[in-house]
C-alpha cells in the first residue's frame, strides 16, 4: 500500500498512464478556492490572461499552498517517489459556451523529461463530458508520438504540439466531481473539448517532477515541495508572497527568463525572442 493510492491504482497508472476520481479536497476547501478564483476575476479582469497562465504557483500563495496539499502530494509520491518538484501550475477554466478545444497532445512532446513528470488535474467544479472534461487515450504514455506544432488556444505566440494520428475512439472521459483529482503521465496523449453546457468548468493543473529527473533539452525550474534535491538538475524557485505582488510578478518573470526551456514553453528555436505572459511595467 502507498501513502494514498492502493496497489490496483498504482498498477492502473503504470498500465494506462492515468488514475482518476481521487477525493482530495473537502467541500469547504473547494468553496474557498472558488471564492479566491472568482474574487480575482472580478477585481482584476484585465490580468486574467497572464496571471492564470504558466507558473501561477509563483504568483499566488494560495495556488502554491494547494499544490502542497498533503493528500495530493501523497498520491503523487506513490507514483514518482518522495523527492518532488512542483514545476508548474496553470488554471484551466472553460466558461459556458467556450469554444476552447485543447487538441490531442503530450505535455512532454517538445521537451522530454526522464524519469517522467505527472500532471494533476484538480477539479474545482464538476468536470463532465458536456463541459469539456479531460480525455485521455490509455496506454499512450510509453513514448513521444509524432507531432506537429501550432499556436495554442488562449496561448498567444506559444507553439504547442499536436499528436499526429491520435484515435479519439480510444479516449476515456475523466469525469470528476468538485474536489476530486486525476493524475496522468507526462507522456499520456490527452485533450479536452469545448464547453457545450451552461455550467462552468474550473480546474487548476499542476506538474510534479522527480527531483532526480533531467530534461533532454535545456534546464527547467521548480519549487521543492517534498523531500530533498541532491541532484541539482533544476533551478529552484521562490515561494510567493501573499497577494499578487510586484515581487511575485518579477520573480516569475525572472524564472521564466532564466529557465526559458521548460515543457510548456518548449526548446528555444533559432532566433526566437523569449516571450511569456506578463504585464508591462
Amino acid at each position: 500500500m502507498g501513502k494514498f493510492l492502493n496497489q490496483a491504482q498504482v498498477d492502473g497508472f503504470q498500465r494506462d498512464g492515468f488514475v482518476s476520481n481521487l477525493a482530495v479536497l473537502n467541500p469547504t476547501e473547494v468553496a474557498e478556492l472558488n471564492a479566491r478564483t472568482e474574487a480575482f476575476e472580478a477585481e482584476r479582469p484585465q490580468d486574467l490572461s497572464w496571471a492564470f497562465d504558466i507558473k501561477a504557483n509563483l504568483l499566488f500563495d494560495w495556488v502554491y499552498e494547494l499544490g502542497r496539499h498533503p493528500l495530493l502530494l501523497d498520491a503523487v509520491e506513490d507514483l514518482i517517489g518522495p523527492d518532488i518538484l512542483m514545476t508548474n501550475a496553470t488554471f484551466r477554466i472553460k466558461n459556458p459556451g467556450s469554444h476552447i478545444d485543447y487538441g490531442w497532445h503530450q505535455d512532454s512532446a517538445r521537451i522530454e523529461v526522464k524519469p517522467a513528470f505527472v500532471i494533476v488535474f484538480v477539479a474545482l467544479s464538476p468536470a463532465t463530458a458536456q463541459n469539456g472534461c479531460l480525455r485521455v487515450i490509455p496506454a499512450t504514455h510509453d513514448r513521444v508520438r509524432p507531432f506537429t506544432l501550432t499556436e495554442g488556444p488562449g496561448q498567444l505566440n506559444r507553439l504547442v504540439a499536436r499528436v499526429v494520428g491520435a484515435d479519439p475512439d480510444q479516449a476515456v472521459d475523466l469525469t470528476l466531481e468538485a474536489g476530486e483529482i486525476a493524475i496522468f503521465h507526462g507522456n499520456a496523449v490527452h485533450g479536452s473539448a469545448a464547453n457545450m453546457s451552461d455550467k462552468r468548468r474550473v480546474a487548476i493543473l499542476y506538474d510534479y517532477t522527480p527531483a532526480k529527473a533531467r530534461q533532454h533539452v535545456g534546464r527547467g525550474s521548480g519549487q521543492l515541495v517534498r523531500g530533498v534535491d541532491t541532484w541539482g538538475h533544476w533551478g529552484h524557485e521562490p515561494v510567493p508572497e501573499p497577494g499578487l505582488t510586484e515581487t511575485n510578478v518579477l520573480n516569475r518573470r525572472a524564472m521564466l527568463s532564466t529557465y526559458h526551456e521548460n515543457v510548456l514553453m518548449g526548446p528555444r528555436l533559432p532566433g526566437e525572442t523569449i516571450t511569456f505572459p506578463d504585464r508591462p511595467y
Side-chain angles (χ1 to χ4, degrees):
M1 292 289 291
K3 288 191 170 184
F4 187 95
L5 303 178
N6 59 41
Q7 191 59 51
Q9 289 169 322
V10 173
D11 291 344
F13 178 87
Q14 293 173 346
R15 179 187 66 245
D16 298 326
F18 65 89
V19 59
S20 190
N21 299 107
L22 306 176
V24 167
L25 304 177
N26 62 46
T28 300
E29 292 172 312
V30 170
E32 180 181 347
L33 291 163
N34 276 311
R36 287 180 177 272
T37 301
E38 292 164 9
F40 187 82
E41 289 174 309
E43 293 166 6
R44 301 179 64 168
Q46 71 280 8
D47 293 323
L48 294 179
S49 64
W50 62 269
F52 278 4
D53 199 17
I54 182 173
K55 291 191 182 286
N57 49 302
L58 294 178
L59 295 177
F60 300 99
D61 62 308
W62 55 274
V63 173
Y64 168 76
E65 290 300 335
L66 173 59
R68 297 174 65 242
H69 193 290
L71 295 180
L72 192 159
L73 288 181
D74 283 349
V76 170
E77 180 174 338
D78 288 340
L79 298 174
I80 68 171
D83 304 315
I84 302 170
L85 294 167
M86 186 196 307
T87 46
N88 186 51
T90 308
F91 286 79
R92 287 290 181 258
I93 298 173
K94 293 185 181 182
N95 289 314
S98 169
H99 295 293
I100 292 178
D101 182 338
Y102 292 99
W104 299 112
H105 62 284
Q106 296 171 293
D107 282 16
S108 61
R110 299 188 68 201
I111 295 182
E112 293 185 65
V113 179
K114 295 183 178 180
F117 61 99
V118 297
I119 304 104
V120 177
F121 184 107
V122 182
L124 299 185
S125 70
T128 68
Q130 292 72 37
N131 70 14
C133 69
L134 185 71
R135 307 189 74 212
V136 179
I137 301 179
T140 53
H141 59 298
D142 58 329
R143 66 187 186 279
V144 173
R145 265 63 178 174
F147 61 87
T148 60
L149 292 177
T150 185
E151 192 170 285
Q155 299 169 309
L156 187 62
N157 297 324
R158 189 183 307 164
L159 292 176
V160 295
R162 290 292 178 260
V163 172
V164 175
D167 183 359
D169 291 338
Q170 301 299 314
V172 175
D173 288 347
L174 300 191
T175 57
L176 299 167
E177 296 297 328
E180 291 185 331
I181 68 171
I183 308 176
F184 57 103
H185 192 284
N187 289 351
V189 176
H190 65 286
S192 64
N195 183 352
M196 305 302 293
S197 77
D198 60 356
K199 303 295 184 183
R200 182 163 131 112
R201 196 211 75 175
V202 183
I204 304 178
L205 272 66
Y206 290 89
D207 290 4
Y208 294 97
T209 304
K212 65 183 178 182
R214 286 182 182 269
Q215 294 187 173
H216 90 284
V217 172
R219 186 177 187 222
S221 60
Q223 296 158 322
L224 185 67
V225 291
R226 180 168 285 188
V228 297
D229 179 6
T230 59
W231 296 271
H233 299 160
W234 302 80
H236 281 196
E237 299 174 344
V239 173
E241 301 176 339
L244 183 59
T245 66
E246 182 171 336
T247 296
N248 290 350
V249 173
L250 294 178
N251 280 341
R252 174 178 174 268
R253 182 187 293 184
M255 289 296 103
L256 286 171
S257 298
T258 304
Y259 305 103
H260 174 65
E261 293 184 299
N262 57 64
V263 295
L264 271 82
M265 304 298 288
R268 188 184 300 190
L269 302 175
E272 180 183 11
T273 300
I274 295 174
T275 60
F276 46 84
D278 204 341
R279 70 181 187 192
Y281 278 91

